[in-house]
């Protein structure tokens, strides 16, 4: 609408460099059940609604028992509102398995920890980056694993090899569709069926990451490209011709005329009285057909309204708004430029930049309450109570409080992060919006008191 | 032989502190040390919420100004502070007696005491960690995501820093003191 699509400085779709295929078959289980929190929001997708899922387990209202919890690289003990409830859910599980590189708070709740190698100790899946200057990038292993850890692909292969056969036996016992399929088969044919239909869960992880990466690159761009990618870490067609170091500060990856602004050709006319409606180059943008009913950019999705009863162009809904009562505060949370998540909490270089989180409070309000920089303040919500140092500032409004997310690890194995700063999810209430079931993290009303 | 300087496109600074981290990692500066070698100056915002002066919170990357006429060198009684062949003001820790005259003399507050060696230290444009190994940039310059820093030879008329100083307005800090800094702030 503003002309910002596919032009310099705007949103650029550009081009992507496709990779070769790495496919595997998944088994189809006859009696697979829907997600337990399917009805907790209008559109619960494949990723589910974390809070609704967790709370359904705690409530004991799940339509079928959920007894095991597997986590890969996730730390819900710190990352999801209401840590106390997350703890309760994990304690209800018969089995908790966590794969991570760090001994996070969630790792500390696990019955089984499968330690993953850190990024320098493993080869990662090759990745393609689309845009105006598309490229393919590869992160190679540079050192041997220091401790008894494995890349996740090996962990998955090992788990697959261990679990597939017993799971298949269980399926044979209870899955009527599978029983029908196997009815007249010989033992050998059953084994072939097991392999060909995805029941061998290790199938997708059979090869090493390096072999898979090689196939995905060389099958499309040839062996020479694979060699370049391994040597330079980056590859794109014509890189040898296009890439130049221009100065100590600047590099050219693509010459200007080779960048992938897919729809607009030539330079935009930049003069004040220029009528955008008559420039043929710009009309080409408007001619772009989108995959919508009208072939234009669609803001109203009638299907969403018809099927799920969700207004696709939301309007202000007064009943969803919680006003902040006099004398109380709304607590909001957010990320810090260097501390983006709890996973980096134990990094010495980052701790050097921000050693703990502080409570932002409006300076005039702090003055009234006799709270100075560094004073300990108690913040209490409906679900919890914390103590944190204050940072009076005019950067925040008078009835709002804020501190950055990612601090306050309880895990004593995180030697640097342990008890450093405060975990925001000890006080953030576990509310979620009713369209997708996403966490509504800025609805918590709190009281404060100088300690 | 060169005459090294640095131009700072300081209005592009986003205070990510990558330069500080890179400097500490490259030059073995103690973690937890504040304003050692390089730093980004930040001021608390002016105004009353919601009428805030955005301009009042600009970020000012700073460090040793690498003066051509350095007061710290002039007052050093043991010649521990010296100009090297590239015009970089450096400290020889073997000769430093920690009299701290240099710290008093520096108008930019760019010197600090290294608690491990008990000598006064300062930015030396990574002379002993990078330039000596054939690198052509400092750690802070190489890591800066918004390209604030341009490091180079002021005596080479074709170097990027020379070209940029010809093409863009700039100023030095506390110019009136006659210290002739080789850090140029681009305006």
């Amino acid at each position: 609408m503003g002309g910002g699509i596919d032009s310099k400085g705007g949103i650029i779709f550009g081009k992507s460099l496709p990779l070769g295929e790495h496919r595997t078959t998944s088994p189809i289980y006859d009696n697979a059940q829907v997600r337990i929190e399917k009805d907790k929001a209008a559109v619960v997708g494949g990723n589910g609604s974390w809070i609704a899922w967790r709370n359904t387990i705690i409530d004991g209202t799940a339509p079928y028992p959920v007894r095991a919890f597997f986590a890969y690289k996730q730390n819900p003990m710190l990352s999801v509102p209401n840590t106390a409830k997350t703890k309760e859910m994990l304690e209800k599980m018969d089995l908790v398995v966590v794969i991570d590189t760090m001994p996070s708070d969630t790792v500390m709740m696990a019955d089984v920890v499968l330690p993953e190698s850190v990024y320098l100790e493993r080869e990662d899946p090759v990745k393609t980056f689309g845009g105006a200057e598309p490229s393919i990038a590869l992160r190679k292993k540079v050192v041997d694993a220091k401790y008894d850890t494995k890349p996740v692909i090996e962990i998955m292969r090992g788990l697959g090899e261990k679990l597939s056969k017993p799971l298949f036996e269980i399926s044979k016992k209870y899955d009527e569709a599978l029983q029908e399929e196997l009815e007249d088969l010989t033992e050998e044919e059953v084994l072939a069926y097991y392999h060909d239909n995805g029941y061998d869960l290790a199938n997708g992880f059979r090869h090493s990451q390096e072999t898979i990466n090689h196939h995905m690159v060389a099958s499309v761009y040839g062996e020479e490209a694979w060699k370049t990618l391994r040597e330079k870490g980056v590859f794109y067609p014509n890189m040898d011709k296009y890439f130049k170091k221009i100065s100590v500060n600047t590099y050219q990856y693509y010459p200007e005329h080779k960048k992938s602004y897919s729809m607009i050709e030539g330079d935009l006319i930049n003069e004040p009285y220029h009528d955008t409606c008559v420039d043929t180059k710009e009309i080409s943008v408007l001619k772009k057909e989108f995959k919508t009913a009208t072939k234009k950019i669609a803001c109203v999705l009638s299907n969403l309204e018809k099927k799920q009863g969700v207004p696709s162009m939301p309007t202000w809904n007064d009943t969803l708004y919680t006003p902040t009562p006099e004398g109380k505060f709304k607590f909001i949370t957010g990320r810090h430029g260097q501390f983006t998540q709890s996973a980096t909490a134990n990094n010495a270089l980052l701790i050097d930049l921000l050693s703990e989180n502080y409570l932002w409070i409006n300076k005039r309000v702090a003055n009234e309450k006799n709270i100075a920089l560094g004073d300990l303040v108690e913040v209490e919500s409906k679900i919890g109570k914390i103590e944190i140092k204050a940072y009076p500032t005019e950067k925040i409004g008078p009835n709002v409080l804020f501190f950055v997310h990612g601090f306050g690890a309880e895990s004593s194995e995180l030697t640097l992060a342990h008890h450093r700063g405060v975990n925001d999810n000890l006080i953030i209430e576990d509310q979620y919006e009713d369209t997708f079931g996403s966490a509504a993290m800025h609805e918590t009303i709190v009281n404060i008191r100088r300690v | 032989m060169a005459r090294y300087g640095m131009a700072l496109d300081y209005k592009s600074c986003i205070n990510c502190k990558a330069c500080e981290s890179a400097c500490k990692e490259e030059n073995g500066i103690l973690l937890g040390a504040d304003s050692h070698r390089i730093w980004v100056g930040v001021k608390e915002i002016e105004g009353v919420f919601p009428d805030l002066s955005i301009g009042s919170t600009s970020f000012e990357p700073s460090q040793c100004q690498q003066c051509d006429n350095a007061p710290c060198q002039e007052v050093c009684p043991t010649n521990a502070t010296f100009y090297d062949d590239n015009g970089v003001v450096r400290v020889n820790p073997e000769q430093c007696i920690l009299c701290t005259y240099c710290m008093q003399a520096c108008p930019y507050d760019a010197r600090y005491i290294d608690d491990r060696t008990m000598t006064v230290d300062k930015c030396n444009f990574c002379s002993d960690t990078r330039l000596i190994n054939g690198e052509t940039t400092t750690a802070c310059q190489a890591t800066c995501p918004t390209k604030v820093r341009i490091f180079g030879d002021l005596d080479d008329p074709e170097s990027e820093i020379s070209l940029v100083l010809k093409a863009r307005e700039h100023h030095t800090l506390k110019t009136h003191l006659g210290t002739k800094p080789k850090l140029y702030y681009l305006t």
Side-chain angles (χ1 to χ4, degrees), chain A residues 36 58 126 129:
Chain A
I36 59 168
I58 295 172
V126 62
F129 293 91

Side-chain angles (χ1 to χ4, degrees), chain A residues 78 105 342 345 406-412 414 417-423:
Chain A
L78 280 194
D105 285 17
S342 64
F407 284 88
E410 289 288 335
S411 165
S412 54
L414 293 171
H418 179 57
H419 283 179
R420 186 181 282 281
V422 175
N423 167 14

Side-chain angles (χ1 to χ4, degrees), chain B residues 133-146:
Chain B
N133 297 324
E135 299 269 3
T136 54
T137 62
T138 62
C140 54
Q141 189 271 343
T143 196
C144 180
T146 56

Side-chain angles (χ1 to χ4, degrees), chain A residues 245 247-251 338 348-350 352-353 362-364 391-398, chain B residues 15-17 21 24-25 31-33 44-45 47-49 52 136-137 141 147 149-151 160:
Chain A
K245 183 169 185 176
S247 72
V248 284
N249 261 329
T250 40
Y251 298 87
Q338 285 90 16
L349 285 169
L350 295 180
D352 185 50
L353 299 175
N362 182 275
K363 214 178 216 173
R364 285 159 289 156
Y391 164 48
T393 175
E394 279 297 337
K395 287 181 284 197
I396 195 162
Chain B
N15 192 27
C16 71
K17 295 188 165 49
S21 292
K24 284 181 176 171
E25 189 71 7
L31 292 179
E44 182 63 27
I45 201 161
V48 173
F49 186 92
L52 299 167
T136 54
T137 62
Q141 189 271 343
K147 317 281 185 211
R149 295 154 188 275
I150 301 165
F151 175 77
E160 190 182 11

Side-chain angles (χ1 to χ4, degrees), chain A residues 293-451:
Chain A
T294 56
K295 302 219 184 321
K296 290 177 182 164
I297 294 175
C299 294
V300 174
L301 307 170
S302 51
N303 259 356
L304 200 62
E305 257 159 72
K306 253 186 259 163
K307 287 190 186 157
Q308 269 89 18
V310 176
S312 63
M313 188 62 115
T315 48
W316 177 260
N317 185 342
D318 225 14
T319 59
L320 295 177
Y321 174 67
T322 324
T324 310
E326 190 66 33
K328 299 195 177 201
F329 300 85
K330 185 160 276 189
F331 177 72
I332 60 173
T333 183
R335 311 276 171 161
H336 184 262
Q338 285 90 16
F339 252 99
T340 55
Q341 49 184 319
S342 64
T344 57
N346 210 48
N347 183 316
L349 285 169
L350 295 180
I351 290 170
D352 185 50
L353 299 175
L354 185 70
S355 59
E356 60 186 297
N357 48 1
Y358 277 71
L359 180 77
W360 291 34
I361 177 170
N362 182 275
K363 214 178 216 173
R364 285 159 289 156
V365 175
N367 269 345
E368 272 168 39
K369 293 184 177 291
N370 203 18
I371 294 169
L373 178 67
D375 283 355
L376 213 51
V377 177
E378 180 187 273
V379 185
E380 184 176 18
S381 77
K382 245 188 253 168
I383 67 150
K385 202 159 45 169
I386 53 128
E387 284 182 10
I388 184 170
K389 289 178 191 165
Y391 164 48
T393 175
E394 279 297 337
K395 287 181 284 197
I396 195 162
N399 56 358
V400 187
L401 299 173
F402 164 84
F403 60 81
V404 295
H405 171 77
F407 284 88
E410 289 288 335
S411 165
S412 54
E413 296 297 314
L414 293 171
T415 46
L416 301 175
H418 179 57
H419 283 179
R420 186 181 282 281
V422 175
N423 167 14
D424 52 356
N425 286 318
L426 290 172
I427 55 168
I428 298 174
E429 289 171 35
D430 45 329
Q431 300 192 36
Y432 55 92
E433 50 79 36
D434 52 14
T435 303
F436 299 104
S438 304
M441 298 181 78
H442 294 156
E443 300 296 325
T444 304
I445 304 293
V446 296
N447 279 314
I448 61 164
R449 180 177 72 83
R450 186 165 173 260
V451 180

